[in-house]
Amino acid sequence: MKLLAYFDAFLKNTVNLNQTRLGLLDDRVRVITSTLKGDAQIGELYVDHSPQGSWAHRTIIKPLNNHEFDADILLQLNEVDSWDPKDYLRETRAAFKRSTTYRSKVTKKNRCCRITYAGDCHVDVVPYIVLGDGREVIVNYAENEFEETNPQGFTDWMKEKDDLTNGNLRRVIRLLKYVRDYKQTFTIPSVILTTLLGERVQAWDAVSRYSDTPTALKTILSDLSSWLDLYPLMPPLPDPGCPQTTFNHRWNQPQYENFRKKIKLYSDWAREAYDEDEKAASLAAWQRIFGTSFQKPSVAEKSLAASPQTPSPRGDRAPHEQYIEELGFSWKGGYSLRIDAEVLPHKGFRNGPLRRLRKVRTLQDLEFSITTDVPEPYELYWKVRNRGAEAEDHGQLRGDIFLDEERARKRRESTRWKGHHYVEAYIVKNGKVLATDHHEVEIM
């Protein structure tokens, strides 16, 4: 059984970080950044700061087992030509050491300065620089090197995936973080867990496959288990916002192997709990995963539990729009597919990866390409869906699905209509859809 009210109460009372602590986190970050802006050295270099990671993605959970919850902020600094990469981290720590408030709270890590509030949380302050050549980087202190990053691109990718699930992806991530910290049967950095779960979200029949939290949990765990089955050895784990950077250095093969086994186990348990028709037996099955804190909600919580809402993540249907699940194919899944979009050079306009630029102007060209682990041969289908008043007024909402007959594995489009549009790709083999992806396109 789904036990929707139980999931709502469990998330609210046990898993989610409460608003009071989030407010306290805001206050602490405000004081941290005020201190840095007022420092004689770092203050001259300060450009901006922004949340990143779990805080930006809204997937922070309450700490368990005497752990602190953590939050990351990017500290954007101006480039200093004479500095080595490690100097940015060293000088940030020095600024904290000059503060009576933070000198006893700061610890230098390899990529950040950590401010610890004992017994509650820590805030990781990550120096972040946009270099003269346009690269966005953070610091690897041990190697005295810059590492390319695209934090806003990752956050935008996460939001796209979460929107496809009507907000249920972030709830699933919180639940799996809770399982990790509660059971302590597997180890995985949060950024890798977020990436692996987010990459499993598919455009196929999203309305029903992610209709509510338990359904999304069962679906995503099953798809993740199927994908992990393909890889006895840890595969490359690229950053969705910056594909040339991987997260593999943050994990190891034994940890990966153990995670692979545990996900298969918990996926089986979730399916059993979901499919069980008898309420008490279903509750006991869910508690096998989450523990006894997953329990019957109060009468008040039951009455306040929101009914599942499952509007189409793609918006209203266009006049000639097609959906892949209606074209006679069946779903198999188990593989991955990623769309990358490149804004092509055009005089007077910015060009480069769309996830880094975030938006594109009209009258530019885009090239979409795919990366997949589906073995050849296979068929690739594309869908381009325009949204907004301009496209609608010109009868250009589109939405038809077409085969990549030339097997180019690329698609070129021009930006004509302002609005929030999207492109989807689907890989079909032997009449079964093995993987899909969805890429938003915002045209100014």
Side-chain angles (χ1 to χ4, degrees), residues 26-86:
D26 285 334
D27 292 340
R28 285 170 167 168
V29 169
R30 194 175 301 114
V31 177
I32 287 171
T33 54
S34 178
T35 298
L36 292 171
K37 285 189 280 187
D39 182 76
Q41 171 79 311
I42 289 295
E44 293 292 320
L45 303 177
Y46 175 90
V47 177
D48 199 0
H49 72 276
S50 60
Q52 75 156 349
S54 300
W55 191 15
H57 306 153
R58 295 191 293 163
T59 58
I60 294 180
I61 66 170
K62 288 179 184 176
L64 289 169
N65 301 316
N66 298 317
H67 291 168
E68 303 162 343
F69 77 88
D70 64 279
D72 298 348
I73 62 169
L74 289 175
L75 174 67
Q76 185 176 353
L77 301 174
N78 280 318
E79 184 178 8
V80 180
D81 291 338
S82 61
W83 281 11
D84 288 335
K86 66 169 54 177

Side-chain angles (χ1 to χ4, degrees), residues 165-183:
T165 68
N166 197 31
N168 284 307
L169 171 60
R170 64 177 179 268
R171 300 182 186 102
V172 169
I173 292 171
R174 290 183 205 144
L175 289 168
L176 267 294
K177 284 185 176 182
Y178 177 87
V179 171
R180 175 195 64 187
D181 297 349
Y182 166 68
K183 287 188 170 293

Side-chain angles (χ1 to χ4, degrees), residues 343 346-347 349 359-365 390 414-419 421 442-444:
V343 182
H346 185 81
K347 185 177 181 180
F349 294 95
K359 301 177 182 180
V360 61
R361 294 190 178 277
T362 55
L363 305 178
Q364 290 192 257
D365 290 326
E390 285 193 3
S414 61
T415 61
R416 296 188 62 188
W417 318 114
K418 295 177 183 177
H421 317 303
E442 182 173 357
I443 302 176
M444 298 183 291

Side-chain angles (χ1 to χ4, degrees), residues 207-263:
V207 172
S208 61
R209 282 165 48 84
Y210 312 112
S211 58
D212 49 59
T213 301
T215 303
L217 175 65
K218 175 184 72 81
T219 298
I220 294 172
L221 275 177
S222 177
D223 287 348
L224 177 57
S225 180
S226 295
W227 183 78
L228 292 169
D229 280 346
L230 299 175
Y231 297 101
L233 299 179
M234 181 169 59
L237 303 169
D239 178 343
C242 190
Q244 64 269 36
T245 299
T246 68
F247 296 131
N248 293 67
H249 59 281
R250 304 191 187 191
W251 219 14
N252 62 42
Q253 180 62 26
Q255 291 171 330
Y256 170 79
E257 289 177 9
N258 180 62
F259 176 76
R260 190 168 172 260
K261 293 175 183 176
K262 294 302 180 184
I263 288 299

Side-chain angles (χ1 to χ4, degrees), residues 71-178:
D72 298 348
I73 62 169
L74 289 175
L75 174 67
Q76 185 176 353
L77 301 174
N78 280 318
E79 184 178 8
V80 180
D81 291 338
S82 61
W83 281 11
D84 288 335
K86 66 169 54 177
D87 290 331
Y88 293 92
L89 198 54
R90 181 188 291 125
E91 293 300 331
T92 301
R93 177 181 179 273
F96 283 123
K97 282 294 187 181
R98 287 190 285 269
S99 165
T100 56
T101 302
Y102 296 110
R103 65 179 52 154
S104 63
K105 291 182 171 67
V106 65
T107 305
K108 181 179 66 59
K109 312 296 282 187
N110 193 39
R111 294 175 178 82
C112 68
C113 288
R114 175 166 295 175
I115 304 297
T116 301
Y117 301 89
D120 184 40
C121 75
H122 60 260
V123 177
D124 288 341
V125 180
V126 183
Y128 159 76
I129 307 96
V130 180
L131 300 178
D133 60 8
R135 286 182 298 147
E136 300 172 67
V137 297
I138 59 174
V139 173
N140 182 324
Y141 187 89
E143 302 295 331
N144 193 23
E145 292 178 350
F146 288 129
E147 294 179 349
E148 286 199 50
T149 187
N150 180 14
Q152 189 58 55
F154 190 108
T155 298
D156 291 346
W157 169 85
M158 166 65 187
K159 185 179 184 305
E160 287 178 25
K161 295 292 189 176
D162 193 43
D163 287 348
L164 276 175
T165 68
N166 197 31
N168 284 307
L169 171 60
R170 64 177 179 268
R171 300 182 186 102
V172 169
I173 292 171
R174 290 183 205 144
L175 289 168
L176 267 294
K177 284 185 176 182
Y178 177 87

